[in-house]
Amino acid sequence: MCLRSSRCRICAHEFRSPALALGHLPVCNRFTSFGDAKAELELDVVECSACQLIQLRNVPSVDTLIPTVPWIRYREPEGHLDALVHQILTLHPNARTACGTGPFEEPLLSRLAEHSLDTHALGLDVAPIEGRYPYLESWQASINAPRLAKIGARYGTFDIVSCRYILEHSPEPVIALVALKQLLNPRGLLLIEVPDSSKFLAARDYCWLWEEHSSYFVEDTLRRLVDTAGYNMCALLRYPGVLEDALVAVLQARDSPGSGRSSAILGSSSLFQAYREAFIPTRKVFREKLTKAAGPARDRIALFGIGHHAIMLVNAFALTDLIALAVDDDPDKAGFFPPGFHIPVVSSEFLLADEHIGLCLFAIAPHIESKVLDKLSPLAARGVEFRSIYAARDNSIMKDRAL
């Protein structure tokens, strides 16, 4: 079920620092119609003491992560893409062709097409079978040398190759980056976009951990990965977000191979040490606070927005028994049990009708909070409190934690 490793994904240094052990948790995409998510994984998060990459010790196999419902889909940031296209074309003004390698490329490719570039999007060469619907786990597995060599031979190479929000999923990111060279023209640019982990680590926010993210990059570890894979960094761009920033590395392949395993030992970072050590006390305070808010009948807390952040929080912090309503207005989720929950997903109509609820936890994107609050205004009128699960938000339930 897991691909076990004792060595770092970038530098192959043996893990020596203590892990953040989350325990056995259900796979976050394993929604069921009967409330029994059997697939569980032991999640340990470790930091390499040589290069300081934060990563999962054991990576779930592709087969373990394949969704069992057809509607699992994720969205990634798009608001910065106009600025990114400008940066790309400034760095490569003669670019004429572009290729996207994953499921989040269309918004970028469409913008490049508006600048008269000939664009091509790779498909996913894995067909669904009964009860199995390949998605991100299969996309990352498709970034491999044999497949990309065939694509390069069939379609040729490209001036610009984009790989957005895939590399953090890869159990072998160095090998994936090396494989992508086969799609690049000699002077071509490779764009790698990944989420920056700095904000959630600094805020000690644990809902951002996820079994589908093998690596948690910050600027320094992304630079080390790029160098190890044999690329020169033309630019490292940061696009700020409320909860997390986007990091975009614009790369050119070197003729020389990567530098390989580093002889330098950086030691544990203070950022991860504080994050690891705060987990148990944070979980204790969070559960105590919500136990009080839930009341004797455990019928006073609603959780709005049932995505993988909410699911990770509930399971990693052992909050299942405290959540009275799991609310999401996505019609695909209605009636399904989130992994680890004992209650099915209901719409906001059920929340509005439930007079017991006194606290509504938001696990939703900040840009839609005001819209949701407008919809739920009758709850506010009767005194329901609204708090975000995200530690970096001003209205976070954890802002007044006593740690």
Side-chain angles (χ1 to χ4, degrees):
M1 189 173 285
C2 279
L3 307 176
R4 298 190 177 275
S5 175
S6 61
R7 295 188 178 274
C8 173
R9 307 202 150 82
I10 291 181
C11 69
H13 189 82
E14 188 174 1
F15 295 134
R16 295 176 181 173
S17 299
L20 165 55
L22 300 180
H24 286 83
L25 304 179
V27 176
C28 287
N29 68 29
R30 200 64 88 239
F31 286 77
T32 66
S33 58
F34 45 84
D36 183 17
K38 293 181 179 179
E40 285 195 345
L41 301 167
E42 184 177 8
L43 288 187
D44 286 349
V45 185
V46 295
E47 180 185 51
C48 175
S49 58
C51 72
Q52 296 185 335
L53 176 67
I54 297 167
Q55 56 203 288
L56 296 186
R57 185 198 301 275
N58 304 318
V59 178
S61 67
V62 169
D63 189 62
T64 299
L65 297 178
I66 295 177
T68 55
V69 292
W71 40 262
I72 295 292
R73 291 293 182 270
Y74 305 116
R75 296 186 64 181
E76 299 297 353
E78 300 178 13
H80 63 289
L81 292 182
D82 288 329
L84 176 57
V85 166
H86 175 75
Q87 293 275 1
I88 295 167
L89 297 181
T90 299
L91 290 167
H92 198 336
N94 297 319
R96 296 292 178 266
T97 59
C99 177
T101 60
F104 308 116
E105 305 295 349
E106 190 281 331
L108 177 64
L109 293 179
S110 64
R111 287 166 169 81
L112 290 170
E114 291 174 359
H115 290 268
S116 301
L117 272 73
D118 182 15
T119 63
H120 179 78
L122 301 188
L124 182 60
D125 305 327
V126 182
I129 59 175
E130 185 177 357
R132 309 285 279 172
Y133 303 92
Y135 189 43
L136 277 180
E137 74 301 320
S138 301
W139 276 103
Q140 65 82 12
S142 73
I143 308 298
N144 61 73
R147 176 175 179 262
L148 297 186
K150 291 179 181 177
I151 291 170
R154 181 175 180 181
Y155 296 104
T157 54
F158 299 86
D159 297 318
I160 296 169
V161 174
S162 175
C163 185
R164 302 184 66 230
Y165 294 96
I166 289 291
L167 204 62
E168 67 272 20
H169 294 260
S170 174
E172 298 178 320
V174 174
I175 292 175
L177 273 182
V178 171
L180 285 164
K181 293 181 181 182
Q182 296 177 92
L183 299 180
L184 280 173
N185 286 340
R187 295 180 58 82
L189 296 180
L190 173 63
L191 275 65
I192 299 297
E193 184 167 348
V194 298
D196 176 73
S197 301
S198 301
K199 285 183 177 177
F200 85 75
L201 290 167
R204 290 175 296 172
D205 194 331
Y206 299 93
C207 69
W208 291 87
L209 300 174
W210 190 22
E211 70 275 358
E212 294 198 36
H213 276 187
S214 301
S215 301
Y216 298 87
F217 294 105
V218 297
E219 281 195 15
D220 286 345
T221 49
L222 185 57
R223 288 183 185 276
R224 293 183 189 112
L225 169 65
V226 165
D227 181 63
T228 302
Y231 286 87
N232 293 324
M233 182 86 75
C234 301
L236 182 55
L237 309 171
R238 176 182 293 273
Y239 297 99
V242 175
L243 297 176
E244 67 177 3
D245 296 348
L247 290 178
V248 181
V250 185
L251 314 176
Q252 277 192 322
R254 289 198 305 259
D255 293 333
S256 58
S259 59
R261 181 170 176 171
S262 172
S263 59
I265 304 296
L266 298 175
S268 299
S269 68
S270 57
L271 185 65
F272 185 69
Q273 286 186 63
Y275 187 76
R276 181 188 64 222
E277 292 167 6
F279 174 69
I280 291 177
T282 298
R283 181 175 61 182
K284 179 176 182 291
V285 169
F286 204 97
R287 180 164 174 87
E288 288 175 351
K289 183 179 296 187
L290 292 191
T291 298
K292 182 177 179 181
R298 306 287 172 90
D299 62 353
R300 294 183 53 77
I301 300 177
L303 178 60
F304 196 112
I306 311 301
H308 65 85
H309 291 157
I311 292 165
M312 178 57 67
L313 180 76
V314 167
N315 288 304
F317 279 12
L319 305 175
T320 302
D321 60 315
L322 303 180
I323 306 300
L325 288 180
V327 186
D328 200 300
D329 283 331
D330 181 346
D332 285 326
K333 296 178 183 177
F336 279 89
F337 288 77
F341 286 57
H342 302 313
I343 52 174
V345 175
V346 297
S347 71
S348 55
E349 293 179 357
F350 286 80
L351 173 57
L352 288 166
D354 193 325
E355 297 185 356
H356 296 282
I357 298 299
L359 171 64
C360 182
L361 298 176
F362 276 168
I364 56 179
H367 70 276
I368 66 169
E369 266 193 24
S370 60
K371 182 179 179 180
V372 174
L373 282 169
D374 287 344
K375 179 189 289 189
L376 302 180
S377 58
L379 297 182
R382 67 174 185 245
V384 173
E385 183 181 9
F386 296 92
R387 302 293 292 273
S388 174
I389 70 167
Y390 299 116
R393 296 288 286 155
D394 289 339
N395 64 337
S396 171
I397 187 68
M398 294 303 291
K399 277 297 182 185
D400 54 348
R401 60 187 171 186
L403 297 182

